[in-house]
Amino acid sequence: MAKPAQGAKYRGSIHDFPGFDPNQDAEALYTAMKGFGSDKEAILDIITSRSNRQRQEVCQSYKSLYGKDLMTDLKSEISGDLARLILGLMMPPAHYDAKQLKKAMEGAGTDEKALIEILATRTNAEIRAINEAYKEDYHKSLEDALSSDTSGHFRRILISLATGHREEGGENLDQAREDAQVAAEILEIADTPSGDKTSLETRFMTILCTRSYPHLRRVFQEFIKMTNYDVEHTIKKEMSGDVRDAFVAIVQSVKNKPLFFADKLYKSMKGAGTDEKTLTRIMVSRSEIDLLNIRREFIEKYDKSLHQAIEGDTSGDFLKALLALCGGED
């Protein structure tokens, strides 16, 4: 169960490009977009093989050389799924996540799954950067946005996650046993008097949203010892709706974050239609963090590589760009 816990063991598929020259890339992109029709191959080739830090430098060089905004020029040349992917890669990660959260709250329905996926899996440092980016880009705090767009217990979970105050220490065995006891009570006893239930729910939320990952792994082990049940399985059985989905996502992320994303990618391509938004969001946001780990979990669980799944489910330039990010066949 306890797969890589520390960032050090996570490996992305995209790294700094050796021999990188931002001016050269800016010129190549300018040439690719000049005149009638664009050379999409050249655009893809450059953007999918540079790290995000390098892409930011290319943006600056482009502005210095041509007095134009690279993002604006790219927008006018590409469209649809490909544009969503390429423009996503061009954004600094915190601003990309902020935009995805904003999109998940826009319009008539809220995309709860996207909110959960992002807020339940980012580190404290990433969450803090997202908060800053959100405020900078939308002149409103992320907390205010979540408050006005969600409600009840689900809102409290999201806001708790969005504060980025998860503990970062190791495990505390006595505390873990107490926490496991709270989890056992809330998950096993649905018929406690209502007052009790609410305070227990709040305590359970606090445990899942603020304890460190190593500590929570210990809590889950203690829970099994105490109840003979797996906490994730029990949450699925005893809870419902968005609250259940949020708690399950936190537990899965704590147990094995790359597997959590592998499952999401698989679901985005399973069945008749493709969920391009989820597919794009995960490929863009994990490409420099743990996409190689996600690939390994994917092939282990589904008996086919992520590369094969993408090939069987997408086409054209969008397919080429996704495969470039995927970084190889397993």
Side-chain angles (χ1 to χ4, degrees):
M1 181 176 88
K3 285 270 169 75
Q6 301 310 313
K9 292 180 190 162
Y10 286 149
R11 292 167 58 225
S13 57
I14 300 287
H15 310 280
D16 279 348
F17 187 76
F20 169 66
D21 178 343
N23 286 341
Q24 204 178 323
D25 283 352
E27 284 166 21
L29 285 168
Y30 183 75
T31 307
M33 293 188 281
K34 217 169 56 180
F36 186 70
S38 58
D39 179 356
K40 291 206 179 69
E41 196 91 9
I43 296 171
L44 292 188
D45 192 46
I46 293 169
I47 292 173
T48 58
S49 61
R50 306 298 185 264
S51 67
N52 193 280
R53 185 185 63 75
Q54 291 174 332
R55 292 179 207 125
Q56 303 315 317
E57 285 187 45
V58 175
C59 273
Q60 286 163 352
S61 293
Y62 196 89
K63 189 152 244 161
S64 313
L65 291 169
Y66 306 108
K68 297 172 81 176
D69 182 62
L70 177 54
M71 291 286 270
T72 309
D73 282 0
L74 283 168
K75 263 180 210 162
S76 65
E77 295 293 332
I78 50 179
S79 59
D81 294 324
L82 180 67
R84 209 182 282 131
L85 182 78
I86 294 297
L87 295 169
L89 288 169
M90 293 304 300
M91 293 179 80
H95 290 268
Y96 180 71
D97 278 346
K99 186 180 182 182
Q100 299 309 304
L101 290 168
K102 174 87 164 40
K103 278 192 161 155
M105 293 184 274
E106 262 170 7
T110 305
D111 181 352
E112 291 86 1
K113 286 190 167 40
L115 295 178
I116 293 168
E117 176 207 301
I118 295 168
L119 293 174
T121 59
R122 302 307 191 252
T123 64
N124 283 342
E126 286 166 343
I127 294 271
R128 288 195 277 270
I130 292 168
N131 274 294
E132 279 173 38
Y134 201 95
K135 189 138 211 163
E136 192 184 314
D137 295 346
Y138 307 112
H139 313 292
K140 182 180 189 177
S141 77
L142 175 57
E143 186 178 326
D144 285 348
L146 289 166
S147 283
S148 54
D149 204 71
T150 56
S151 61
H153 208 57
F154 181 56
R155 173 203 284 167
R156 290 167 58 205
I157 295 165
L158 293 180
I159 288 175
S160 179
L161 291 172
T163 56
H165 287 320
R166 189 178 284 288
E167 293 159 6
E168 297 193 331
E171 57 184 69
N172 170 336
L173 189 55
D174 293 337
Q175 179 75 66
R177 287 188 180 130
E178 264 176 58
D179 290 347
Q181 185 60 47
V182 170
E185 282 176 42
I186 184 88
L187 293 170
E188 297 291 298
I189 310 164
D191 55 5
T192 41
S194 57
D196 257 355
K197 183 89 158 68
T198 314
S199 69
L200 264 177
E201 269 186 1
T202 304
R203 282 176 68 195
F204 186 52
M205 179 190 91
T206 304
I207 291 164
L208 285 182
C209 294
T210 65
R211 301 281 194 256
S212 74
Y213 272 31
H215 179 81
L216 282 172
R217 284 192 198 101
R218 171 60 69 189
V219 173
F220 301 160
Q221 287 163 4
E222 293 302 317
F223 182 86
I224 292 175
K225 281 185 202 163
M226 217 173 265
T227 65
N228 279 329
Y229 287 108
D230 172 68
V231 75
E232 181 186 337
H233 176 77
T234 315
I235 291 171
K236 284 175 177 167
K237 196 166 124 267
E238 298 294 334
M239 296 187 146
S240 61
D242 296 329
V243 170
R244 179 192 66 181
D245 293 346
F247 283 159
V248 166
I250 295 168
V251 172
Q252 289 175 338
S253 179
V254 168
K255 283 181 175 178
N256 183 344
K257 201 179 282 186
L259 178 60
F260 170 81
F261 285 116
D263 285 339
K264 288 257 176 271
L265 284 170
Y266 179 77
K267 286 190 185 110
S268 76
M269 295 181 277
K270 200 181 72 171
T274 307
D275 174 359
E276 290 89 359
K277 283 183 182 157
T278 301
L279 176 57
T280 300
R281 188 174 59 240
I282 295 174
M283 294 296 285
V284 168
S285 63
R286 308 316 291 180
S287 57
E288 288 183 45
I289 299 175
D290 54 3
L291 195 54
L292 292 184
N293 308 73
I294 293 168
R295 265 171 46 183
R296 197 176 62 226
E297 297 296 346
F298 195 98
I299 197 164
E300 256 178 47
K301 181 159 179 183
Y302 298 110
D303 267 344
K304 69 168 162 183
S305 67
L306 178 57
H307 192 283
Q308 280 172 308
I310 291 169
E311 264 186 330
D313 214 68
T314 57
S315 61
D317 292 318
F318 182 51
L319 163 68
K320 283 182 198 157
L322 285 170
L323 290 182
L325 286 186
C326 184
E329 172 68 278
D330 291 299

